[in-house]
Amino acid sequence: GVSQQGVTLPNAADIVYVPDQPNFTFEQGVTVAAWVKVNKLGGVQSLFRKRDSTTSALALVLNGKQVQFVIDRKGTAPVSVAWKGIKEGVFTHVAARYDGATLRLYIDGKLAAEKNAPGTIVGGEGPLLIGNDGFRRRFNGVLDNVWFASSAASDDAITGLTCLPR
């Protein structure tokens, strides 16, 4: 990986997950981030997902040739924001943030897309899924320095996640 801590999931059923925790709530928003190196683009590939029954409370995915961040809000329709331009074979830092008002997607520490969407993300009673999900939408590449916070990180914090120790 980019910091020599990367993970690949070579088999269709491989998955990294974190069991649900009481503090995985989203009243304060959410931030997810990771260094990703795509081997092959195409289809839907899960980078990070928080399950909620048969759907997801939130998901950061590759969808075709774009990075997409999707949230499911209480009492209203899900909403997403996307950025086209991800390339195969290159490490790219991807971060997504929701603060209860605006969905934001960052590429290499810079704001790449945003959408106003007031609301609260549904709680989701399932685990955090990294690199794959129950429908085998496996990420074909390397994930490194995956980061999750049950709050909306600042722009400076997101920029700081792109820094690597040397």
Side-chain angles (χ1 to χ4, degrees):
V2 72
S3 69
Q4 309 308 312
Q5 302 285 324
V7 63
T8 61
L9 304 170
N11 300 304
D14 288 348
I15 195 164
V16 175
Y17 75 95
V18 178
D20 193 26
Q21 302 293 315
N23 60 338
F24 290 173
T25 62
F26 307 113
E27 290 82 13
Q28 303 301 312
V30 68
T31 307
V32 297
W35 282 97
V36 300
K37 180 179 172 186
V38 182
N39 290 339
K40 184 171 172 83
L41 290 167
V44 176
Q45 300 179 47
S46 289
L47 300 173
F48 185 95
R49 194 176 289 271
K50 172 67 168 100
R51 293 300 301 162
D52 178 39
S53 185
T54 60
T55 186
S56 298
L58 63 97
L60 180 61
V61 300
L62 295 181
N63 188 352
K65 295 183 178 182
Q66 65 183 4
V67 178
Q68 185 176 20
F69 180 46
V70 183
I71 60 167
D72 188 7
R73 298 171 294 159
K74 294 178 183 176
T76 189
V79 65
S80 72
V81 64
W83 173 80
K84 294 180 181 177
I86 193 83
K87 295 186 180 354
E88 293 177 354
V90 177
F91 271 106
T92 304
H93 190 267
V94 176
R97 175 180 83 187
Y98 182 64
D99 61 8
T102 306
L103 215 59
R104 291 182 175 91
L105 188 60
Y106 298 81
I107 303 298
D108 292 329
K110 294 180 176 42
L111 183 64
E114 67 181 331
K115 182 180 281 187
N116 290 333
T120 303
I121 299 173
V122 298
E125 296 180 1
L128 304 178
L129 304 173
I130 301 166
N132 205 348
D133 60 34
F135 295 101
R136 297 190 175 181
R137 293 175 286 206
R138 181 180 59 88
F139 172 62
N140 186 349
V142 179
L143 285 164
D144 200 353
N145 286 7
V146 177
W147 194 80
F148 165 77
S150 57
S151 62
S154 69
D155 288 345
D156 288 341
I158 289 171
T159 301
L161 294 172
T162 67
C163 296
L164 298 170
R166 299 275 181 217

